[in-house]
Amino acid sequence: MTERQPSLFGEPEGAPWEVDDRHERLVATVVFPEWEGEFDYEVPDRLRGQIESGRRIRVPLGKSNRPVVGYCVGLDVKPPPSAFRRKEVLAALDEGTLLAPAMLRLTRWLADYYVCTWGQAIESAVPAGVRLAKGTRETVLLAVRGGAMSEPGEVRLSPVQRTVLRVLCESNESMTAAQLAAAAGCSLGPIQQLRKKGLIEATTRRVLTRPAEPRVVEGQDPFTLNHEQRGALEAIVGAVHRGASTTFLMHGVTGSGKTEVYIRAIDEVLQFGRQAIVLVPEISLTPQAEHRFRSRFPRVAVLHSHMSDAERHAHWLAIARGSIQVVVGARSAVFAPLPRLGLIVIDEEHDASFKQDSTPRYHARRVALERCRLERAALVLGSATPSLESYHAAMEGRYVRMPLDHRVHRRPLPRVDIVDLRIEHDRRTPQGCISRPLYQAMSQALRADGQVILLLNRRGFSTSIQCPACGHVVKCAHCDIGLTHHRADETAVCHYCDYRILAPPRCPKCGFDGIRYRGLGTQRLEAEVRSRFRDAPCLRMDSDTMRKPGAHEKALEQFRSGDVRILLGTQMIAKGLDFPDVTLVGVINADTALHFPNFRASERTFQLVTQVAGRTGRGARAGRVLVQTYSPDHPAIVTAAQHDYVRFANLELPARARFHYPPHGEMVRVVLRGEDASITDAFARDLTGELRSRVDSETRIVGPAPTPIAKLHGRYRFHLLLIAANHEPIRAAVRDAARSVRVPDGVQWIADVDPLDML
Ligand code: ADP
Ligand code: ZN
């Protein structure tokens, strides 16, 4: 812990140190979200016992001694400093510590790894609802004053008063006056008298107005695990027994029964008196998924993003007290403060929603790895399409790969046929989304009472608006992005900043009145399905139709009940759905993600096609998949059609190796944005120079260059990529550069460690 007060607070202040300097002092080390570094404050005697590591405290800052809130990260006895006088802590906040020692260490690692301040890391681990004490009320709690009962002779007590004292003494927890009166069967009067006599003392504390109630759902009969599932379970249980922080990659095809293995493993962890976290992509946090865990474990907490701060606070406290066995949640649940963590499961570990897109830009998988290492817990990563990072780690022996190559009951994986749109094009109905083979397959599936899922990864009606006369493309006023036509309200919408204009009837540039709307969006697909399959009720799921809370649920319920026969939508429908009557899946255009300027474009395409294909053939009836594409020979599409992950990985990994792209190297992306293009560009070059001078020649630097979306929300954007075998020196360089560069007004920059997004 360094004593860096002078560097932040300016020159040593005023009066010399006058206290007897032979005495050592109790010193709290404090961090802030806003500033880097650790700062020492003296703990005055009146606060001794209240200040502890992980607790929020109020301290004076700067020449004006403005009170600010920071986090105590350490408590130590230190000699007084020689050159300046340490300031004193002003107050301790909250009821107690917010972070156990293991969580403090985790947040410190997080700050170092993702290049943010320790305070920022802490704030991402402790939800705002907890910090703001949401859903609590100041309450007066009563307790017997220490030693009160040992001297009863000195005060005269009525029998009722004696009863009250005895009840309060025998209670393990402090009570409100009303609770005590009820327990002792008396009015508030005797309690008041005891307080006046000083035998009962009152303290004011914040307590929850509505504590989290554990919900119990009736359990269902567990199945007998099949051979592959048993093998995976035994391996995990072995690690739990040994208390080893082993990472497992459960590579199981869609419908192979991975969730069942998670549940059995958690069961085992609980037998050991430990607890578990299950992370799922936000979109998969459905009541069905929740029910699956609740039906098997009595004390489950589910953390949703649409929870109120008060609810979140109540759950967090229940978790921290150790009264919850299993936490199910999205990304941020990786920080759930379970006191005896034994296992973290990350389902669909390849999913991009596990990466946070604001500071700190952490990936829940990377955080889980570190947390499991610190707390000697096992980590299980599950996916049918593991990220190449995880697969590569398994191939190198850092993770234990556990393949589940068969679906339960040996149900076959669906047959996948590729529809070559280049050939189908001229035969299609004008501008349609559905090719003849797909149309026939849909008719057949519906006739046989099956259900159909259609995937199109584009919202809106038409995805580009272009003038055939002058070539002008109608773009967003703030972003370098073409507008998408939404027919429901005849608007043209920017999918990045939501800028909206009325859809132009003529070219805004040359006035030509034959402006064209091209490209396929989900709205157009819906219109086509409705007109060509009049008897089959259909439902569209995308972020336009699913705005209202609960809309997602309602839609899935309509599909489950069979009222809806055709479900169409964006990648929202590709994940996790388990409907036995789906006999056909159609991918309208497999190429939407293929030509993205991102080295992971092939991987994303492979994942998307494989995942959506996995939605069919899950019941007794066989399923079928049709993939429409203009790139029928692309390896990502060919291997996905053959359900051949290993072949895909064997083709893709060497291609990445050539450029040291992850997983063969580690990457940090620096993104800059500013209102003035040339100032931002010039600073991007300066910063690149600063970084180049701080890394060795083994580090590859790509850029700076305008980002693929060169303008967003009215700001010009540039980026550069730094790639090395290990990005630790790059992170150090970024940190160092951040301290020394002068950033021009109106320009901002961030570093994204292990970036996923490249736009
Ligand atoms: P995954 O998570 O791999 O997609 P699930 O765990 O959801 O697979 O399992 C798919 C379906 O098979 C579920 O309905 C589940 O209840 C069922 N299931 C899982 N394991 C078994 C088993 N051993 N025997 C019978 N049914 C099983
Ligand atoms: Zn925009």
Side-chain angles (χ1 to χ4, degrees):
M1 309 277 152
T2 48
E3 290 169 0
R4 273 211 250 126
Q5 261 185 334
S7 65
L8 180 67
F9 301 144
E11 290 307 301
E13 293 164 34
W17 184 261
E18 286 168 340
V19 185
D20 182 355
D21 62 359
R22 286 167 306 179
H23 281 79
E24 299 212 304
R25 304 272 148 186
L26 186 61
V27 169
T29 305
V30 186
V31 298
F32 304 97
E34 300 87 342
W35 306 284
E36 259 206 76
E38 297 163 19
F39 306 93
D40 282 352
Y41 285 88
E42 217 148 276
V43 178
D45 288 344
R46 72 185 159 84
L47 291 179
R48 265 175 200 260
Q50 286 187 46
I51 310 289
E52 53 190 327
S53 277
R55 188 158 184 173
R56 286 197 311 165
I57 58 180
R58 189 171 288 124
V59 295
L61 184 75
K63 288 221 163 73
S64 63
N65 284 328
R66 168 169 66 96
V68 293
V69 174
Y71 293 87
C72 174
V73 295
L75 207 55
D76 234 329
V77 175
K78 295 184 182 178
S82 49
F84 62 95
R85 180 184 169 140
R86 269 195 213 109
K87 295 183 186 182
E88 285 190 352
V89 178
L90 300 173
L93 305 180
D94 308 310
E95 287 296 313
T97 181
L98 298 178
L99 296 120
M103 292 306 283
L104 261 186
R105 280 201 299 277
L106 183 70
T107 52
R108 184 183 202 171
W109 167 86
L110 188 83
D112 180 53
Y113 191 93
Y114 288 105
V115 196
C116 66
T117 68
W118 195 349
Q120 278 173 325
I122 289 174
E123 300 220 317
S124 63
V126 182
V130 175
R131 284 179 274 125
L132 304 174
K134 281 290 163 71
T136 63
R137 187 175 54 210
E138 295 242 307
T139 307
V140 177
L141 292 173
L142 306 177
V144 175
R145 193 169 59 82
M149 289 304 268
S150 58
E151 42 188 324
E154 294 174 20
V155 270
R156 280 222 198 104
L157 296 179
S158 70
V160 182
Q161 290 171 341
R162 277 179 198 283
T163 309
V164 170
L165 270 189
R166 190 170 39 77
V167 168
L168 191 55
C169 252
E170 283 168 0
S171 150
N172 284 327
E173 289 171 29
S174 40
M175 300 171 147
T176 64
Q179 284 166 340
L180 179 54
C186 67
S187 66
L188 292 175
I191 299 172
Q192 278 308 331
Q193 288 149 12
L194 286 168
R195 280 184 68 179
K196 272 200 203 113
K197 289 185 168 136
L199 293 178
I200 289 182
E201 59 185 7
T203 46
T204 307
R205 269 179 47 195
R206 286 206 153 265
V207 298
L208 289 174
T209 44
R210 274 203 326 179
E213 289 294 330
R215 285 204 281 142
V216 184
V217 181
E218 272 302 292
Q220 52 178 184
D221 273 359
F223 328 92
T224 311
L225 294 187
N226 64 36
H227 181 71
E228 286 181 333
Q229 286 174 313
R230 256 198 332 269
L233 178 64
E234 277 162 18
I236 300 166
V237 169
V240 171
H241 281 225
R242 292 193 306 277
S245 56
T246 311
T247 302
F248 297 92
L249 178 60
M250 193 147 78
H251 187 173
V253 297
T254 51
S256 57
K258 296 184 286 294
T259 311
E260 196 55 39
V261 179
Y262 307 151
I263 288 174
R264 305 290 172 97
I266 293 168
D267 222 2
E268 197 70 23
V269 166
L270 299 181
Q271 304 291 322
F272 267 68
R274 296 177 82 179
Q275 303 140 343
I277 297 174
V278 182
L279 300 181
V280 299
E282 180 76 44
I283 198 94
S284 320
L285 263 183
T286 59
Q288 284 86 350
E290 186 176 336
H291 180 88
R292 213 161 159 189
F293 287 94
R294 286 202 192 282
S295 68
R296 304 288 276 274
F297 304 108
R299 285 177 287 134
V300 176
V302 179
L303 301 176
H304 286 283
S305 68
H306 47 257
M307 254 176 174
S308 72
D309 277 350
E311 283 175 296
R312 199 173 282 276
H313 185 201
H315 279 97
W316 195 87
L317 285 181
I319 294 166
R321 291 205 187 103
S323 54
I324 295 292
Q325 298 168 317
V326 186
V327 175
V328 182
R331 180 177 67 228
S332 64
V334 74
F335 298 112
L338 293 163
R340 294 179 305 280
L341 182 69
L343 172 71
I344 299 182
V345 172
I346 305 185
D347 191 31
E348 312 284 1
E349 65 90 32
H350 63 278
D351 195 88
S353 75
F354 288 120
K355 170 105 171 154
Q356 173 148 295
D357 58 7
S358 60
T359 304
R361 294 175 158 71
Y362 69 86
H363 196 296
R365 190 205 306 130
R366 188 67 192 82
V367 178
L369 210 57
E370 189 62 20
R371 185 163 181 197
C372 287
R373 196 182 66 77
L374 287 169
E375 303 190 34
R376 298 176 68 81
L379 174 60
V380 175
L381 308 174
S383 177
T385 53
S387 61
L388 285 174
E389 281 84 348
S390 296
Y391 180 74
H392 185 65
M395 289 298 109
E396 287 191 330
R398 285 179 283 134
Y399 301 172
V400 179
R401 180 165 174 264
M402 304 182 303
L404 304 183
D405 291 330
H406 303 280
R407 285 186 158 181
V408 293
H409 303 309
R410 296 264 160 169
R411 280 182 193 128
L413 284 164
R415 194 179 112 200
V416 181
D417 292 310
I418 293 176
V419 179
D420 186 346
L421 287 179
R422 296 171 307 183
I423 301 166
E424 286 297 322
H425 197 76
D426 34 277
R427 287 202 233 136
R428 284 189 301 162
T429 45
Q431 312 221 337
C433 306
I434 298 171
S435 65
R436 211 174 41 148
L438 180 56
Y439 178 81
Q440 284 163 352
M442 286 174 70
S443 309
Q444 204 178 3
L446 293 170
R447 259 200 313 273
D449 265 345
Q451 287 178 302
V452 177
I453 287 179
L454 297 178
L455 172 83
L456 176 57
N457 216 6
R458 291 273 174 84
R459 292 154 60 206
F461 195 79
S462 300
T463 50
S464 75
I465 307 175
Q466 190 174 27
C467 172
C470 74
H472 176 70
V473 175
V474 180
K475 284 190 172 181
C476 173
H478 313 292
C479 307
D480 181 32
I481 287 289
L483 297 181
T484 297
H485 179 212
H486 284 231
R487 204 165 69 168
D489 49 2
E490 278 304 319
T491 52
V493 180
C494 171
H495 280 186
Y496 286 86
C497 73
D498 216 32
Y499 169 82
R500 281 160 198 268
I501 55 171
L502 285 179
R506 51 182 68 234
C507 176
K509 193 165 173 217
C510 73
F512 181 72
D513 65 359
I515 194 155
R516 289 247 195 87
Y517 293 79
R518 296 175 210 268
L520 309 174
T522 43
Q523 288 187 9
R524 172 174 293 198
L525 176 61
E526 182 187 8
E528 185 177 339
V529 168
R530 285 192 192 281
S531 77
R532 294 179 75 181
F533 297 91
R534 289 177 192 279
D535 302 330
C538 100
L539 187 98
R540 186 178 106 223
M541 276 180 80
D542 55 29
S543 49
D544 295 310
T545 58
M546 298 292 124
R547 289 237 159 110
K548 287 197 200 110
H552 193 241
E553 279 325 308
K554 207 173 126 214
L556 293 183
E557 204 36 61
Q558 280 176 287
F559 194 53
R560 182 178 305 275
S561 70
D563 292 347
V564 166
R565 305 287 307 284
I566 302 174
L567 180 68
L568 65 95
T570 54
Q571 57 185 340
M572 212 175 259
I573 61 170
K575 291 176 197 162
L577 307 187
D578 187 9
F579 298 113
D581 291 330
V582 174
T583 53
L584 177 69
V585 163
V587 179
I588 300 300
N589 185 349
D591 309 348
T592 47
L594 202 53
H595 306 299
F596 260 57
N598 187 328
F599 69 90
R600 289 193 178 85
S602 287
E603 186 179 0
R604 290 268 169 84
T605 301
F606 179 86
Q607 288 167 348
L608 191 64
V609 173
T610 308
Q611 293 289 343
V612 72
R615 299 310 116 216
T616 178
R618 296 175 76 92
R621 288 189 280 174
R624 200 177 160 206
V625 182
L626 262 73
V627 176
Q628 304 192 138
T629 173
Y630 288 100
S631 322
D633 304 321
H634 194 285
I637 291 173
V638 173
T639 52
Q642 293 163 347
H643 306 288
D644 196 345
Y645 177 91
V646 172
R647 197 153 80 86
F648 169 71
N650 288 341
L651 289 168
E652 181 67 10
L653 283 171
R656 297 233 187 132
R658 240 176 297 142
F659 301 100
H660 303 285
Y661 284 147
H664 296 287
E666 295 186 334
M667 188 185 279
V668 175
R669 179 184 186 225
V670 171
V671 186
L672 308 93
R673 57 173 199 194
E675 278 147 36
D676 185 300
S678 61
I679 293 176
T680 313
D681 188 13
F683 177 65
R685 281 161 215 287
D686 289 350
L687 183 60
T688 307
E690 292 288 334
L691 291 170
R692 197 184 299 279
S693 70
R694 286 171 169 84
V695 293
D696 63 12
S697 57
E698 297 291 295
T699 303
R700 202 158 74 92
I701 300 187
V702 184
T707 56
I709 301 174
K711 190 181 169 202
L712 195 62
H713 300 286
R715 295 200 184 90
Y716 295 89
R717 302 165 77 245
F718 297 83
H719 67 168
L720 62 135
L721 303 176
L722 298 104
I723 304 165
N726 173 321
H727 57 38
E728 197 175 333
I730 302 176
R731 291 188 269 123
V734 168
R735 217 176 252 287
D736 194 43
R739 275 193 285 265
S740 61
V741 293
R742 266 214 55 230
V743 186
D745 288 343
V747 176
Q748 286 125 21
W749 69 283
I750 56 103
D752 187 359
V753 176
D754 305 332
L756 290 185
D757 184 3
M758 294 285 163
L759 290 177

